[in-house]
Amino acid sequence: MTTACEYKPGLEGIPAAQSSVSYIDGKKGILEYRGIPIEELAVKSTFLEVAYLLIWGKLPTKEELAAFETEIRYHRRIKYRIRDMMKCFPETGHPMDALQTSAAALGLFYSRRALDDQAYIRAAVVRLLAKIPTMVAAFHMMRRGNDPIQPNDNLDYSANFLYMLTERIPDPQEAEIFDRCLILHAEHTMNASTFSARVTASTLTDPYAVIASAVGTLAGPLHGGANEEVLEMLEEIGSVDNVRPYVEKCLKQNPKHKFMGFGHRVWKVKDPRAIMLQNWAEELFEKKGRDEYYDVAIKLEKVLVEEKGFGERGIYPNVDYYSGLVYRKLGIPNDLFTPIFGISRVAGWLAHWKEQLEVNRIYRPTQIYTGDHALSYIPMEERV
Ligand code: SDX
């Protein structure tokens, strides 16, 4: 018999899987992918190499990486029928809904569930990693009334995405910093969207449905959707002078007001990813000019962490706090910040999909029933 003491809202602190994909120490500020510190991978690796590491559990040899990159490059284009489907999406729709719909649509073409076939698994990994950036860029172009830009086979993964999105070849610094952002967002142990991916994977459905589940979960403002909300908050604050009045107003209205981009279930120090993103934002600002909202963000962090006691309570900026300021400087619109998070996290979701297939046990937790028992059906005329 399950007792109330075993129930933890949000499954806080409850292991939902055994995994070797990544590791976090929220107090020491450690994040490792397959045992390698994120700080090393972010500056020494590339997103596709990290995706290979996460999914197949080892750094690829030169030949393995070259073959993987070639396969990805070959599969970047999306079927015209998916493109035609996307043309029917409302221009005002959110790109995360477009991404979730088009990711699921891939299953219409490749839904065989040969989950014990390594060739099927590899093909699904390649298709999802290769086509999801193209689908995000295609929706963005079409919602502005333009034809989608075809992938440029001369460009690597990150440069090609920026090219498809902005219609211009990015400079090396932009492509490099964007690739590092993708590395940073690729994996993060048992976050909500990864848990969603594992639950969906546990029913042995196809990988396209798994990714569609995870995309829908990531979209929420308490999860990946926070990066877009942070920019809206900074834009609402508007200036450094208005930071304190804004904070006072929010806390007066609701002492439990949740400031977007702050706090985390695991990180009780400043998220190391936020630190790196902040450094890369400053690298971009040196060359492209400072963003006025960066000063607002710095001031808000100082006021909340130092003056409002957030620091003492372990509430610090998380990965979503500074990422939008990097993307803005790369010419990316606010509502694409979360889809970009999704483009990256597909690597982690696929790693957990494969790991869950090896567990091969459907998720079916229990509950603590709090309702009534043995009630009688009430005829319509007697209802109030
Ligand atoms: C991501 O899980 C992951 O790994 C996710 C992620 C990943 O890479 O996959 O890291 C990506 O989703 C980052 C988080 C992005 N979301 C936000 O920035 C939204 C704002 N943050 C909060 O909603 C919150 O911090 C969560 C959702 C991120 C975490 O929620 P928890 O762990 O359930 O924490 P909680 O709500 O129980 O808060 C604990 C305390 C509460 O105060 P008390 O009741 O103890 O007095 O901290 C306070 C909260 O009020 N608190 C905040 C706060 N976050 C927590 N107070 C003000 N502002 C905040 N942002």
Side-chain angles (χ1 to χ4, degrees):
M1 169 66 181
T2 303
T3 57
C5 65
E6 291 170 17
Y7 168 60
K8 283 291 189 81
L11 296 183
E12 183 161 2
I14 306 288
Q18 288 182 323
S19 176
S20 59
V21 181
S22 65
Y23 170 76
I24 296 174
D25 181 320
K27 293 190 175 74
K28 293 180 185 164
I30 296 171
L31 169 58
E32 295 169 336
Y33 290 175
R34 297 289 187 185
I36 304 174
I38 187 67
E39 290 82 2
E40 272 205 81
L41 290 169
V43 294
K44 293 180 180 174
S45 189
T46 64
F47 172 67
L48 281 186
E49 184 178 72
V50 164
Y52 191 104
L53 167 70
L54 290 168
I55 294 165
W56 282 287
K58 74 177 193 71
L59 286 168
T61 62
K62 192 175 176 187
E63 294 72 25
E64 286 168 335
L65 181 58
F68 188 52
E69 286 172 340
T70 303
E71 278 184 87
I72 296 277
R73 211 173 283 251
Y74 179 78
H75 285 279
R76 282 169 171 172
R77 283 168 176 71
I78 53 178
K79 290 191 179 296
Y80 75 88
R81 295 173 82 175
I82 287 192
R83 219 175 44 239
D84 289 353
M85 173 191 77
M86 294 176 81
K87 281 178 187 160
C88 303
F89 294 174
E91 294 78 8
T92 52
H94 195 286
M96 279 302 275
D97 293 321
L99 175 55
Q100 185 177 27
T101 309
S102 41
L106 284 174
L108 291 165
F109 297 89
Y110 311 109
S111 68
R112 264 183 346 103
R113 294 192 182 100
L115 301 176
D116 54 353
D117 172 353
Q118 290 310 310
Y120 171 84
I121 287 175
R122 184 174 177 105
V125 164
V126 167
R127 284 189 193 111
L128 284 157
L129 283 170
K131 297 181 187 304
I132 280 186
T134 308
M135 292 191 291
V136 170
F139 175 69
H140 177 60
M141 294 305 285
M142 288 193 273
R143 70 173 173 175
R144 300 190 310 170
N146 303 325
D147 287 333
I149 305 279
Q150 285 301 335
N152 181 329
D153 291 342
N154 300 317
L155 296 176
D156 71 15
Y157 194 86
S158 289
N160 175 60
F161 175 70
L162 292 175
Y163 165 73
M164 292 191 294
L165 202 62
T166 61
E167 300 180 82
R168 66 178 177 80
I169 308 274
D171 69 45
Q173 182 200 35
E174 290 174 327
E176 156 77 20
I177 286 181
F178 185 74
D179 199 69
R180 290 187 215 158
C181 289
L182 294 184
I183 291 172
L184 269 196
H185 286 82
E187 163 63 13
H188 208 241
T189 72
M190 203 48 59
N191 58 85
S193 55
T194 295
F195 181 47
S196 176
R198 287 194 79 127
V199 169
T200 308
S202 77
T203 71
L204 302 185
T205 186
D206 66 80
Y208 309 98
V210 169
I211 299 303
S213 289
V215 169
T217 308
L218 182 70
L222 292 187
H223 190 11
N227 55 17
E228 180 182 349
E229 303 270 335
V230 167
L231 247 299
E232 284 171 20
M233 172 180 68
L234 297 176
E235 288 163 354
E236 184 184 346
I237 294 171
S239 69
V240 169
D241 293 341
N242 191 35
V243 166
R244 268 200 195 82
Y246 176 83
V247 169
E248 297 307 336
K249 180 192 75 170
C250 291
L251 294 176
K252 187 164 182 245
Q253 283 170 351
N254 173 10
K256 308 285 273 179
H257 176 83
K258 291 280 176 73
F259 293 87
M260 292 291 111
F262 284 87
H264 200 277
R265 179 69 57 80
V266 181
W267 293 119
K268 299 310 167 192
V269 292
K270 188 167 178 178
D271 187 330
R273 300 171 296 173
I275 296 168
M276 285 185 270
L277 284 160
Q278 197 172 352
N279 294 337
W280 301 341
E282 292 181 359
E283 262 185 59
L284 278 172
F285 297 154
E286 270 172 33
K287 192 172 171 191
K288 296 171 171 289
R290 200 169 176 81
D291 184 324
E292 73 211 85
Y293 293 121
Y294 181 58
D295 296 313
V296 176
I298 296 267
K299 181 64 179 283
L300 179 61
E301 177 182 353
K302 188 170 176 55
V303 169
L304 291 179
V305 169
E306 295 175 17
E307 297 178 18
K308 294 299 178 185
F310 276 37
E312 289 151 18
R313 297 164 58 201
I315 305 167
Y316 289 92
N318 58 49
V319 67
D320 288 323
Y321 190 59
Y322 287 107
S323 55
L325 288 162
V326 176
Y327 296 147
R328 258 166 65 88
K329 201 43 84 172
L330 295 176
I332 296 168
N334 293 12
D335 67 0
L336 289 185
F337 295 170
T338 310
I340 287 169
F341 194 150
I343 288 171
S344 166
R345 190 54 59 89
V346 168
W349 294 333
L350 288 168
H352 284 271
W353 167 58
K354 281 175 83 271
E355 208 172 52
Q356 185 59 37
L357 291 180
E358 288 148 26
V359 172
N360 194 11
R361 185 152 178 75
I362 193 167
Y363 274 96
R364 203 317 183 180
T366 182
Q367 63 169 21
I368 294 169
Y369 180 63
T370 57
D372 299 314
H373 289 287
L375 298 179
S376 303
Y377 180 78
I378 302 170
M380 187 59 78
E381 61 279 7
E382 294 173 21
R383 294 175 197 170
V384 291

